[in-house]
Amino acid sequence: MTLTTNNGPDESLATAPSPTKAHRSGRWIEDWRPEDPEFWEKTGAPIAKRNLIWSIFAEHLGFSVWLIWSVSSAFLVAQGFTFTPQQLFFLIAIPNLVGALIRVPYTLAVGKFGGRNWTMVSAALLLIPTLSFAYFVTQPDTPYWTFCVIAATAGFGGGNFASSMANINFFYPARLKGAALGLNAAGGNLGVAIIQFFLPVIVGGAGIFGLVKASQGGIHLERAAWVYAGLAVIAVLAAFFFMDNLSNAKTDTKQQLSVLKHKHTWVMSFLYIGTFGSFIGYSAAMPLLIKLNFWRQPVPAVEGIGINFAFYAFLGALVGSVARPLGGYLADRFGGARVTLLAFSGLVVGTLGILFTLSQLQELPPPPDKAKLAEIAADPAAFQYPDAVRAAVESNADIFPLFLGIFLFVFACTGIGNGSTYKMIPAIFRKDAVVATGEGTPERELAVLDATKKSSAAVGIIGAVGALGGFLIPITFNSPWVTAPLDATKSAFTIFTVFYVVCALVTFTVYLRKRSGAKADTGYVGV
């Protein structure tokens, strides 16, 4: 059997018989053995690298579109829409809910249609949220419910992560999965930082730490949507020309869903809420948190006071994204469970630190009502900030460096935890295969391949459940049982701290605590 793509066979490579010889259209590789050192060195590595690069590009765009509302929601008022903070927090939560729910079908699609083929489809689907966003933000009479629907379609970008990770999982050998999946995920996660960094500049707002001033022509949110619609088209073309499908990644839905019966699928799902759910939830909420607690600007024509959220909101996602491959590397070296426990310990310390900084803040008076805003907009030169507002903003600005520093530490812990938990997933299923078969036997080879398929399916399930944290965190910041925004934020971080303590205990108990006698766990301790 030879390596076969739509470009024809490579006759120079003789390999063991492939499990399938059926002809397939498109770029299909019929024989793929990354665990074979010779095959990997001569043939596998370059192909895997090429697919990884373009997978990162498509996933990066998916994350950017997924989180486009995290920043644009803070600019909607400047665009002429009058939504309450409660409405805005819900608006940024909707894409995260949809993105979580569709991760399972997106993962299954890789096994059904092929990784390359589904990358093309998933990238094309990004045109729905971008083009609809571009149109409706220019219509001042657009109702809130319409924006909720558009925000829901932005969740398509969240599904890209699951299918991309499931696909790349097949391309790399076990010893490199942590680093490869970490790079793939980090490239996608960086989409959050990039959209939060460049969107304010693209739409005409101030940005890049104040080096770019706000445009005199006002805010134009549609510009960002047009940019990402164009990039989505490029992603479709790139997948078509440069990516491959793997025949041995083909599997049926029933086989993939069998991972639902594996108890560790649910344990890891719970832990992933604490790592990735925190990353995406904090990334979505951070711009609004800064704006509500550190910044005041009633209308765009009035100069704002305090800390401009557009200058700093992207930093959290950037730190979390960069830390993710570090988590994968550390997990490859020291074991995923140990690194995950370290990450949750850091999250406990970090959220306690944030609670301390919040206790030092003053509650900012609520923004003016609609009638007052109209009056200010009619004569902005006559507006003066009330002394109470100016004093509270200036006091909070002194606390902001500490708040930001601790929050970035929290983001770093989420990134490290993201990388380490995703290393644990294939390791758990591989240990199942190793324990059940003999070394060097054909059964071992088949079991390892089956484990790879199951771990790819598990990636989608775990990713879907974990991403629900991205919905729950913004909702918790808008706690309905607390009326004052600052008190709601304190209440939320108290809940998060307790949750991270539970996650740390689960990690230690299930994956690090050694048992003896009849309760000995020979399969998963130290993964």
Side-chain angles (χ1 to χ4, degrees), residues 510-524:
V510 178
Y511 298 114
L512 288 173
R513 183 168 65 92
K514 294 183 178 180
R515 297 169 175 83
S516 60
K519 296 182 178 181
D521 184 351
T522 60
Y524 307 108

Side-chain angles (χ1 to χ4, degrees), residues 61 82 303 408 431 501:
L61 295 182
T82 53
E303 184 177 357
L408 294 183
K431 278 204 170 185
V501 171

Side-chain angles (χ1 to χ4, degrees), residues 290-297 304-309 364:
I290 296 175
K291 182 178 182 180
L292 292 175
N293 293 297
F294 298 95
W295 173 253
R296 275 294 180 268
Q297 186 180 30
I305 58 174
I307 305 298
N308 193 330
F309 68 93
L364 296 186

